[in-house]
């Protein structure tokens, strides 16, 4: 190979190799759509990590098109797109992006994550899985990027029988699961400026009945804590 050219005192090999890596990654990802699925899966294992990420997610999406009910793979896809979105948010220094460019870079990974999040939300009543997908695969740092989907997860978990039963086993001096999840959902919605969905959820919480009574007794939309003691 010829010696590296110097440009302004800096070796330019790194940028050239980075460009080559992106080209290889794109080529591999595109191949996932036409190769036999089993061969594409083998390539995801064999490809170097630096060029195999796009191939892996392409194969994952292809597998989900064939078996859309695979919630484990859905969670893996959510985790992948969430990492992409978080990388944009975490960028600092010369790599930082703001304003319209930041919004543009977040649009695709958040949009894809949202599609999978909504599918899982509708597909299962397993609150353990829902909690894992929301807090593990998606992650708390992104709650305010998709506040309404996040709040719907929290609401569904809170309305599960296992959570509702705590109104019968715990006093108002203790943290009860349903009120806890509704309070967190409201906190996310209010902080993200989603006033109408927040007010709808607030009203739903106040009207919620358990064994002939309404156990959530908030008196103000602005004050919706997880533990609320009446008249204190």
């Amino acid at each position: 190979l010829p010696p590296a050219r110097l440009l302004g005192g800096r070796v330019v090999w790194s940028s050239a190799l980075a460009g080559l890596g992106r080209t290889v990654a794109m080529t591999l990802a595109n191949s996932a759509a036409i190769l036999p699925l089993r061969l594409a899966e083998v390539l995801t294992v064999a490809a170097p990590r630096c060029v195999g990420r796009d191939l892996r997610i392409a194969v994952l999406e292809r597998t989900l098109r064939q078996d859309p009910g695979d919630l484990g793979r859905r969670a893996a896809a959510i985790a992948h797109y969430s990492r992409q979105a978080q990388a944009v948010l975490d960028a600092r220094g010369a790599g930082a992006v703001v304003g319209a460019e930041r919004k543009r870079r977040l649009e695709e990974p958040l949009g894809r994550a949202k599609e999978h999040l909504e599918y899982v939300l509708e597909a299962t009543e397993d609150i353990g899985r829902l909690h894992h997908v929301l807090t593990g695969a998606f992650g708390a740092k992104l709650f305010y990027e998709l506040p309404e989907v996040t709040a719907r997860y929290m609401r569904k978990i809170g309305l599960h029988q296992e959570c509702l039963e705590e109104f019968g086993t715990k006093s108002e001096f203790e943290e009860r699961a349903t009120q806890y999840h509704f309070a967190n959902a409201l906190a996310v919605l209010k902080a993200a400026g989603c006033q109408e969905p927040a007010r709808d959820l607030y009203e739903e919480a106040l009207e919620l009945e358990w064994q002939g009574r309404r156990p959530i007794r908030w008196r103000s939309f602005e004050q919706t804590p997880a533990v609320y003691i009446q008249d204190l």
Side-chain angles (χ1 to χ4, degrees), residues 8-189:
R10 295 184 178 179
V11 180
V12 298
W13 282 118
S14 59
S15 61
L17 288 172
L20 177 60
R22 286 191 294 271
T23 301
V24 172
M26 186 177 299
T27 301
L28 285 171
N30 290 338
S31 72
I34 57 175
L35 290 174
L37 184 57
R38 182 56 185 159
L39 177 56
E41 290 174 339
V42 170
L43 284 175
T44 66
V45 177
R49 183 178 179 83
C50 61
V51 297
R53 285 189 298 268
D54 290 338
L55 175 61
R56 281 187 280 274
I57 190 60
V59 169
L60 185 58
E61 290 284 12
R62 182 178 169 188
T63 303
L64 283 170
R65 284 194 292 272
Q66 295 184 0
D67 183 10
D70 189 333
L71 301 188
R73 283 192 168 94
R74 291 271 177 194
I78 292 167
H80 172 85
Y81 294 122
S82 298
R83 286 192 296 270
Q84 286 187 333
Q86 193 61 54
V88 175
L89 296 175
D90 289 344
R92 298 289 185 271
V97 289
V98 296
E101 177 63 14
R102 176 181 179 272
K103 183 178 180 180
R104 185 188 68 80
R105 292 197 189 183
L106 286 172
E107 185 174 356
E108 181 177 356
L110 285 179
R112 290 184 178 273
K114 183 180 178 183
E115 291 176 10
H116 292 296
L117 282 164
E118 289 180 336
Y119 187 99
V120 173
L121 183 62
E122 297 301 322
T124 183
E125 301 296 323
D126 183 340
I127 60 174
R129 182 183 289 276
L130 291 172
H131 185 269
H132 167 72
V133 167
L134 183 64
T135 62
F138 186 53
K141 290 183 178 180
L142 293 175
F143 285 179
Y144 302 98
E145 302 299 325
L146 293 178
E148 293 189 44
V149 175
T150 296
R152 285 167 56 204
Y153 265 77
M154 293 174 175
R155 173 187 176 276
K156 186 167 185 176
I157 293 170
L159 290 176
H160 191 274
Q161 184 72 13
E162 182 179 332
C163 294
L164 288 167
E165 286 176 354
E166 291 195 359
F167 285 129
T169 60
K170 293 183 178 181
S171 74
E172 64 180 348
F173 292 91
E174 299 174 277
E175 187 175 86
R176 299 178 289 188
T178 298
Q179 186 164 325
Y180 168 82
H181 289 294
F182 269 70
N184 283 342
L186 282 167
V188 171
L189 290 171

